[in-house]
Amino acid sequence: MTTDITTGSTTEQARPSALFVCVHNAGRSQMAAGFLRELSGGAVEVRSAGSMPADQINPTAVEAMLELGIDIRAEQPKVLTTEAVQASDAVITMGCGDVCPVFPGKRYEDWKLDDPAGQGIEAVRPIRDEIHRRVLALLDQLGVPAVPLTAGS
């Protein structure tokens, strides 16, 4: 929030927002959302969703994120809605094909990433690390300085 000293009025500065979409909203999109939440220090509004949400978050994705001090255990897979897409400045898809609705004026990126479903921790770590790199680049594109991770990085 900023205050105009000449008028005393306050205005709310809009935070950029990002939506991460994958099929089950249980692995890649949840890791990306966890990274963006942590690395933005709350400066970015973060959403994630899936075209066919799973019943729970992938436990190996949770374990991989906990290694870096990011806890996504409380998250639940959510269904992709038109409203979530409309409310987001950037929409990042991860293998969900043409399911994501497209609206003019939105920024879309498709991140080609391996699916961590059914993979062991050794296979999930490189996926997690690639998501980390891409989220850092996204923050730079949004003009938001990254906050250092507090554990494990």
Side-chain angles (χ1 to χ4, degrees):
M1 187 175 308
T2 58
T3 303
D4 183 326
I5 58 172
T6 58
T7 64
S9 66
T10 59
T11 56
E12 195 71 31
Q13 287 186 317
R15 291 187 304 166
S17 58
L19 169 65
F20 296 101
V21 183
C22 65
V23 176
H24 299 297
N25 190 222
R28 295 166 289 188
S29 57
Q30 291 288 352
M31 288 191 285
F35 273 126
L36 188 56
R37 247 188 307 282
E38 289 291 322
L39 293 168
S40 75
V44 177
E45 189 174 344
V46 182
R47 299 177 183 89
S48 70
S51 54
M52 296 185 308
D55 294 329
Q56 65 178 14
I57 303 292
N58 178 334
T60 311
V62 169
E63 179 185 351
M65 295 300 284
L66 282 170
E67 290 179 349
L68 299 182
I70 299 173
D71 189 352
I72 60 172
R73 289 177 288 195
E75 298 300 321
Q76 289 294 316
K78 295 168 279 308
V79 69
L80 176 65
T81 64
T82 300
E83 293 78 19
V85 176
Q86 287 178 310
S88 301
D89 298 314
V91 179
I92 295 90
T93 57
M94 303 172 183
C96 62
D98 297 330
V99 179
C100 190
V102 175
F103 293 97
K106 301 290 174 198
R107 178 168 144 206
Y108 292 85
E109 289 184 31
D110 186 42
W111 291 0
K112 306 272 188 241
L113 297 161
D114 291 334
D115 189 346
Q119 303 291 324
I121 191 69
E122 294 299 324
V124 172
R125 284 183 185 123
I127 299 167
R128 174 204 62 199
D129 295 344
E130 178 61 22
I131 292 170
H132 184 189
R133 281 189 288 280
R134 292 182 188 207
V135 167
L136 286 169
L138 177 63
L139 279 168
D140 189 53
Q141 293 164 8
L142 293 173
V144 175
V147 174
L149 293 177
T150 54
S153 59

